[in-house]
Amino acid sequence: MHRREFGITLLAGLAGTAALAQPAGIEQSGLVGKLEGPALVTDPARMPKQFKEAPMLTEQVRARVLPPVEQRLPQDVMVVQPLRNIGTYGGTWRRGFIGPGDSENGNRLMSADKPLFFDETGTKVLPCLARDHEVSEDGKRIILHLRRGLRWSDGTPCTADDWIFWFEDLYSNKDLVPAPAPELAANGKPGRMVKVDDATIAFEFEEPYFLFPALMAGDTLVGGGQTRLQSNGQTYALYAPAHYLKQFLPKYSSAEALNTQARAAGFGNWVQLFQYKSDWRLNKELPTLAAWRMVQPINTSLWVLERNPFYYAVDTAGQQLPYLDRIQMTLAENPEVVNLRAIAGDYDYQERFIDLGKLPVIIENQQRSRYKVHLDLGFNGADSVLFPNPNFTDDKEIAHWLGQAQFRRALALGIDREQLNEAFWLGLGTPGSVIPADVLPESPGEEWRQRWSTHDPAQANKMLDGLGLNRKDREGYRLRRDNGQRLRLEITVAQTLSPTWPQQAEMIVQHWRQIGIAGDVKVQERSLALTRARNDQTQILLWTNNGTESLYLYPRYCLPVDPTAGVMGNGYALWFASNGERGIRPAEPEMLKAFDLMRKATGQREEERNRTAQEIWKLAVEQQWGIGLVGLSPAFMGVRVVSERLENVPGRTGISQHIRTPWGAHPEQWYFK
C-alpha cells in the first residue's frame, strides 16, 4: 500500500470512522469538518435592546469601579450570532506558549483590534473596529466609519483622533518608524490620512487603490492591529491610544526629560522607553481594544489575559462578550512539551506547535484526555521553505552563490521532497514549489508546482559544474573559489511553530551530499533567529510561506517587500519600502520586474490583480527566491486539540495568516458547558 494511502486509512480508523475503500483525500478521514464561523448581525431589527455582563464585571459595577454595561458599550455595538448556542460566562482557557519569543501566540488572541476582518473563508471583508467602509468610484478615496462610542480598555473614548495621532505623531516620526509601510502607498506614491469627523477617517491616494480595504483586513502593516504591530519594537498599524502614549513622546514633553526617565528605567533612550510602553506583551498599563487585556506579561511562566470590560461586542441575547473570563498560557520548555501536555489534556484549545507527525498518538488519546481533534487544511504551497538570503553580509563567497538563480535551482533539485513528506507529514502533504493551492485565483497553475521542485540530483550536479563549482575534495564536496576550502552552507532554524524543522533541515543536508554541497544546521531561539535574519546575517532560513497564499495580503514570503519580515533579504525589502531611498537595489532584473508588478497591482481591480499575482508567482518559482518543500496540509497550525467542554468551536477553521487562527473562529463566543 502506498504510504499516503496508508496514512489516511490509519487516521480514519483511529478517528472511529470506516476504513477507506480506496485512496481518497484527507477530507474523508473524519477529522476535517465543515468550514464555518459565527455570523455578524447588521439588521437593526435584530439588534438587542438590553444588555448583560459577566458576573465578575457586575461586582465591579456595584463597587462603582466600572460604569454600567450600557455606558461601556459603543453606540455602534458589534453583534455576534454565536456559531451554535448562546453561551454562559466564566472559565479560563488553558493554553501553552514557549517563551518571550512566542509573541504571535498571544497576538492572534487579540485580533479583534484590526480595522476590518475576514469571514471564515478568508475571502469576504467584514467589519471589525470599523463598522463599515466605502471606496470611491475612482478608487482614490477609502472611508472608514468607526464605531461611535468605542472605548479603550481603561474607559477612555477611542475616536478618529487616535488614528490621526498615529499618522502624524508616530508614523511620521523617523525615530519610531524608519521605514514607511508600503501598504500606505498606491503604486509607490504615499497616501495620507484625513479626519472627517470624530468617527470617520478617510485615506486619500494619488492613484486608484482598490486593494486597500483588503489590506486593512489582512495581516499587513496597516491591517495587523495595535497588538501585533506596536510590539517587538514596531510602531505600525493605523491608530494608537493617544491619551496614554503622548506622555512618552518628546513633542509633548522633552527628549531630555524622557531620556532621563528612560535611563532610570533601564533603557538607553526615549525611543526604547516608548517601544516598551507601547508593547502590549510587556506593559499591562497599555490600553487595548481587544476582547481580553494582558494582566501578566509574556516574560513570566504564566502569560495571562483577562476580559476587557469595554469590549465592543455582544451576542444576539445582548450579553457582552467574551464569555470566557481569562486566557492562561503556561510556559513550556519547547514545542515537544506543548505536544505532551496537549496529549495529557492540559489544554482547552491548542493548535500552535501541535505536531502533525504525532497525529496518531494524539487521536489515540482523545477519549482518555477528553478532547477532540480537528484538522484544518492550508492553502499555502509550502509549510516549510528554504529562504536563501541574497543580502548575506558576512561572507562574500557565500553571498555570491546565494544571489545566483541557477545555484538556487540546483539546491532545489537536490532535495527529495517525497522523503520529507513521508517522514514529517505522514504522507499527507503535497511536495512542490511555493505556489498556492490551484483553487485560488492567484495560483499560476499546477505545472508551476513541479518547476525546479522535483528530485533530480543528476541535473543539479550538471548545473553546479556548469557554474564553475567543479573542484571537489576527497569526499566529493565542492570547493570555494576564493580559498579552496569546502563550500559550506548554513541553514538557520528558529525554535518555533514546527517541532520537526530541525530534523527536516538535517535531512536536507543529507540530500545535498549527493550534489556535493556541505551543510550545517543551526537551531536558534525564534526572536534571535529573526533578528539575525532582519540584519541579513543568515545564509538560509527555514521558515514557512503560510499566509502568502493571499499574495497581496501577506507578500513577505513571496517577495522581500516587508522590512519587518527579514526572511528573504532585508536590504531588498528596505529598498522597496523606501522607494529606493534606503536598502539595496536588487541585482536581478526579475526581482525588479516583480517589484514593479507588485506596485501596479494596488490600482487594479480584482480580476486583473489575480492575473498580475500569477505572473509574480511564476517569477518567484523560476528564480527560486524561496525553495518550497511540502505544503497544502494541516501541518501549520492545522491540528487542533479541543476540550470536550468547549462549545461554539467550528468543525474547520481557516488557518491562513490573514484569518489569524484561532481568532478567525471568534473565540470571544466560545464557552465552557
Side-chain angles (χ1 to χ4, degrees), residues 106-422:
N107 289 343
R108 290 168 175 269
L109 311 181
M110 303 282 282
S111 293
D113 70 351
K114 292 163 57 64
L116 299 167
F117 206 77
F118 281 99
D119 69 349
E120 65 274 8
T121 71
T123 59
K124 182 182 179 182
V125 174
L126 296 178
C128 200
L129 292 183
R131 59 186 171 88
D132 199 3
H133 72 279
E134 303 172 41
V135 181
S136 65
E137 186 65 27
D138 63 4
K140 296 181 180 181
R141 196 168 194 257
I142 294 89
I143 296 177
L144 278 188
H145 297 285
L146 309 178
R147 296 186 184 279
R148 293 167 294 181
L150 184 68
R151 292 179 180 272
W152 293 96
S153 56
D154 61 3
T156 303
C158 177
T159 70
D161 290 336
D162 292 295
W163 296 63
I164 298 300
F165 165 73
W166 174 82
F167 186 71
E168 294 182 350
D169 292 348
L170 304 186
Y171 183 66
S172 300
N173 189 317
K174 298 300 182 184
D175 290 325
L176 297 175
V177 185
E183 297 94 333
L184 272 176
N187 196 19
K189 299 176 181 177
R192 64 184 186 129
M193 183 192 295
V194 178
K195 175 182 175 181
V196 179
D197 57 40
D198 283 347
T200 311
I201 286 290
F203 297 90
E204 298 176 346
F205 299 95
E206 294 181 36
E207 297 194 16
Y209 206 171
F210 296 103
L211 179 64
F212 195 65
L215 294 176
M216 287 192 289
D219 189 36
T220 66
L221 294 185
V222 297
Q226 172 205 10
T227 299
R228 170 143 163 74
L229 296 180
Q230 291 170 25
S231 60
N232 200 27
Q234 299 182 95
T235 314
Y236 291 99
L238 292 173
Y239 66 92
H243 70 284
Y244 177 76
L245 291 179
K246 281 183 177 180
Q247 62 184 310
F248 306 112
L249 289 175
K251 178 178 177 180
Y252 300 96
S253 177
S254 75
E256 183 180 355
L258 287 174
N259 283 331
T260 300
Q261 182 181 347
R263 287 190 289 270
F267 300 101
N269 54 44
W270 74 266
V271 173
Q272 293 177 9
L273 175 66
F274 181 91
Q275 290 172 341
Y276 167 79
K277 292 295 185 179
S278 63
D279 193 327
W280 83 279
R281 306 166 307 162
L282 303 170
N283 179 18
K284 63 182 179 181
E285 296 177 356
L286 180 71
T288 183
L289 298 171
W292 292 276
R293 57 191 177 91
M294 186 271 287
V295 295
Q296 195 158 316
I298 190 174
N299 53 3
T300 60
S301 60
L302 290 178
W303 189 10
V304 184
L305 317 180
E306 190 174 275
R307 71 167 63 253
N308 173 7
F310 292 89
Y311 184 51
Y312 57 84
V314 300
D315 66 15
T316 46
Q319 296 184 116
Q320 186 185 29
L321 298 172
Y323 293 135
L324 301 177
D325 290 334
R326 295 177 185 85
I327 303 173
Q328 178 176 293
M329 289 175 276
T330 303
L331 179 66
E333 291 85 347
N334 51 55
E336 180 69 18
V337 174
V338 172
N339 280 267
L340 292 174
R341 289 177 179 171
I343 293 169
D346 292 346
Y347 301 139
D348 299 302
Y349 187 110
Q350 186 80 23
E351 78 300 323
R352 194 167 175 85
F353 306 117
I354 301 300
D355 181 6
L356 177 63
K358 292 183 171 58
L359 187 55
V361 178
I362 294 170
I363 293 172
E364 198 171 21
N365 283 274
Q366 283 185 110
Q367 188 172 358
R368 179 181 65 84
S369 295
R370 301 183 64 82
Y371 59 72
K372 297 178 183 179
V373 179
H374 301 266
L375 294 185
D376 303 321
L377 306 183
F379 294 108
N380 59 301
D383 299 321
S384 299
V385 188
L386 294 180
F387 287 109
N389 179 11
N391 300 153
F392 180 58
T393 57
D394 294 345
D395 188 318
K396 290 183 179 180
E397 175 76 358
I398 297 296
H400 168 79
W401 294 117
L402 295 179
Q404 301 294 310
Q406 193 77 335
F407 182 80
R408 299 191 297 264
R409 293 167 187 154
L411 294 181
L413 291 173
I415 298 171
D416 186 346
R417 292 165 180 79
E418 293 289 349
Q419 185 182 30
L420 288 166
N421 185 29
E422 292 184 1

Side-chain angles (χ1 to χ4, degrees), residues 656-670:
S656 293
Q657 183 78 13
H658 64 284
I659 307 178
R660 306 300 288 150
T661 183
W663 188 262
H666 283 270
E668 81 269 46
Q669 52 94 49
W670 297 349

Side-chain angles (χ1 to χ4, degrees), residues 509-582:
V509 167
Q510 294 305 310
H511 295 163
W512 281 347
R513 293 188 65 177
Q514 298 179 55
I515 62 173
I517 296 295
D520 298 304
V521 177
K522 177 179 285 188
V523 180
Q524 294 181 334
E525 188 271 333
R526 174 188 173 122
S527 60
L528 174 60
L530 291 183
T531 297
R532 286 179 56 81
R534 282 191 289 268
N535 291 331
D536 284 328
Q537 294 173 309
T538 56
Q539 296 181 19
I540 301 173
L541 181 71
L542 176 58
W543 199 250
T544 179
N545 78 344
N546 175 264
T548 302
E549 63 270 23
S550 295
L551 177 64
Y552 302 114
L553 299 183
Y554 208 64
R556 59 170 58 182
Y557 301 141
C558 177
L559 292 176
V561 296
D562 184 346
T564 68
V567 300
M568 300 181 69
N570 224 35
Y572 289 173
L574 283 171
W575 186 86
F576 179 86
S578 66
N579 287 315
E581 293 181 5
R582 303 181 63 220

